[in-house]
Amino acid sequence: MTKSSVSDYKHLVVAIDGPVASGKTAVGRELARRLGWKLFDTGIMYRAATWHALRKGVHLDEDESVTELIRDSEFQLTPHSDDESVELDVYVDGDNATPHLRQPEVESGVPTVAAIAGVRVLMVEIQQAQANRGCMIVVGRDIGTVVLPKAPVKIYLDASEEVRARRRAAEQNSGTDEATVLKATQRRDRRDRGRATSPLVAASDAVRLDTSDLSLEQAVDAAEVIIRKRIPDLAPTETTASAS
Ligand code: DC
């Protein structure tokens, strides 16, 4: 196992991985706010790649064509214009893809694009460069295993299938019944865990955090404790200062 240390990266990074609706993005966003860091949700890159392929009329199941398109395109990540936001916007060839990332066609096509080995290689390179641009919570499926294997803190968030399906149904707010969302969640899990390249798996040195019975605030508190154990000299935040 590679021994990680806080000095392996130019800036502090925390890797958060986990299955769909385990709370990664919500927990990551709140942690970034507390610490004054940025949130880099790497899912936006696979979504932007999918949106771009769709707008260019490239068939998503043609691995080589999609990889070639992505290789020839320029991806840029920039802090969201709202000062309060901790999130990044993603641009492809100068166009802001961010407003399009939750479109139904992107939602259904993204697992196909994320399973293309050539696309992953290109995305991982950009993600590694981005992670060196500042203190960041980096969220995804392969962050602790592939993108930032030497991250000083790795958290694997999980929750029961039922809880994740319930959260997803609430998020989507589309009136779809929970049984249908549960089936879709299970399908998504099978694709994320079963793909040949970088399947979703917890890094051997990740701390597992089950959020099934935790509120968002409790999950963020627990994650912050994990981070502070690994990086004890981190500056206090409002939350930790008021607790002491
Ligand atoms: O987290 P999300 O739903 O925005 O992710 C979109 C898709 O991208 C999903 O199919 C998982 C995939 N993904 C990935 O394979 N690796 C990552 N680091 C991030 C997301």
Side-chain angles (χ1 to χ4, degrees), residues 26-197:
V27 169
R29 185 184 295 118
E30 199 45 44
L31 278 172
R33 277 194 195 126
R34 282 191 190 181
L35 299 171
W37 294 10
K38 288 288 175 203
L39 167 70
F40 179 21
D41 178 359
T42 56
I44 65 172
M45 297 206 61
Y46 293 97
R47 288 173 180 270
T50 307
W51 169 73
H52 187 50
L54 288 169
R55 76 172 174 158
K56 293 288 176 190
V58 175
H59 287 287
L60 302 187
D61 47 9
E62 289 176 7
D63 292 13
E64 280 182 25
S65 312
V66 178
T67 305
E68 200 175 318
L69 172 73
I70 301 307
R71 188 180 299 117
D72 293 342
S73 308
E74 198 196 349
F75 284 74
Q76 267 186 319
L77 293 149
T78 59
H80 189 69
S81 52
D82 173 358
D83 274 351
E84 298 286 294
S85 172
V86 293
E87 296 182 45
L88 303 175
D89 284 342
V90 55
Y91 286 73
V92 190
D93 288 344
D95 299 323
N96 191 355
T98 318
H100 313 289
L101 303 182
R102 308 283 151 185
Q103 284 172 354
E105 318 83 76
V106 172
E107 195 72 57
S108 62
V110 67
T112 307
V113 172
I116 303 175
V119 169
R120 298 201 71 87
V121 170
L122 297 164
M123 295 283 121
V124 167
E125 266 175 33
I126 303 171
Q127 290 162 15
Q128 289 172 333
Q130 180 63 31
N132 258 330
R133 294 211 177 99
C135 292
M136 233 167 277
I137 306 284
V138 188
V139 168
R141 305 288 194 287
D142 58 345
I143 308 304
T145 49
V146 177
V147 181
L148 305 171
K150 292 185 173 181
V153 189
K154 297 179 187 178
I155 300 173
Y156 188 86
L157 279 191
D158 212 345
S160 70
E161 273 180 355
E162 291 72 20
V163 168
R164 291 190 290 117
R166 212 174 305 136
R167 286 181 189 157
R168 199 143 163 84
E171 244 169 54
Q172 290 173 342
N173 199 17
S174 59
T176 320
D177 69 286
E178 260 175 50
T180 309
V181 182
L182 177 60
K183 278 207 184 110
T185 306
Q186 289 166 333
R187 224 177 11 251
R188 192 69 166 248
D189 282 354
R190 272 198 299 278
R191 292 191 78 162
D192 282 349
R193 293 192 171 114
R195 69 171 173 234
T197 319

